[in-house]
Amino acid sequence: QVQLEESGGGLVQAGGSLRLSCAASGRTFSSYVVGWFRQAPGKQREFVAAISRSADSTYYADSVKGRFTISRDNAKNTVDLQMNSLKPEETAVYYCAAKVWSGSYSLEGTYSRWGQGTQVTVSS
């Protein structure tokens, strides 16, 4: 089973950028679809982005298209989320998640492995 650990969160001003990284243990990381989700205080967790096993397909929530970029390096067992033009309402705990099966990328219930999350705070 793959284990996930997020890093790269922090405090940034509105309009700024952050790069989150999800590091995975295990030799089968390339077999997993990986997604990023976020949960703001008092709100439900929501889908942000996902990437296929071979990185040939990426998926984004409408709210982040054009500003966020997801990428992966299977040789390093990492998936990154580059976030640009951040907004205060995007303050949240950001989680990476992994699953074996393709499809339904935005549904958190389809992901079996989760990291502990990393806090992103965007100040106005």
Side-chain angles (χ1 to χ4, degrees):
Q1 294 268 7
V2 67
Q3 304 293 325
L4 305 173
E5 183 174 3
E6 303 92 339
S7 62
L11 174 64
V12 64
Q13 289 187 332
S17 299
L18 276 177
R19 188 176 185 90
L20 305 182
S21 186
C22 176
S25 62
R27 293 176 292 177
T28 60
F29 178 66
S30 60
S31 300
Y32 288 81
V33 170
V34 177
W36 282 95
F37 291 77
R38 64 189 179 191
Q39 187 167 21
K43 294 188 177 181
Q44 290 188 330
R45 190 153 53 187
E46 64 175 0
F47 169 74
V48 176
I51 190 165
S52 63
R53 298 181 191 86
S54 60
D56 56 351
S57 297
T58 56
Y59 308 86
Y60 297 94
D62 288 343
S63 60
V64 307
K65 281 181 182 176
R67 299 186 297 119
F68 289 15
T69 302
I70 189 171
S71 60
R72 72 187 295 166
D73 185 336
N74 286 337
K76 296 182 178 179
N77 280 9
T78 58
V79 172
D80 290 348
L81 183 68
Q82 176 67 42
M83 306 186 295
N84 299 327
S85 302
L86 283 161
K87 306 173 183 179
E89 56 265 36
E90 294 180 308
T91 292
V93 177
Y94 283 70
Y95 299 89
C96 69
K99 63 176 181 175
V100 174
W101 304 109
S102 300
S104 303
Y105 295 100
S106 65
L107 298 181
E108 66 171 289
T110 65
Y111 290 81
S112 58
R113 309 299 299 175
W114 290 82
Q116 293 300 306
T118 185
Q119 176 70 47
V120 171
T121 303
V122 185
S123 63
S124 58

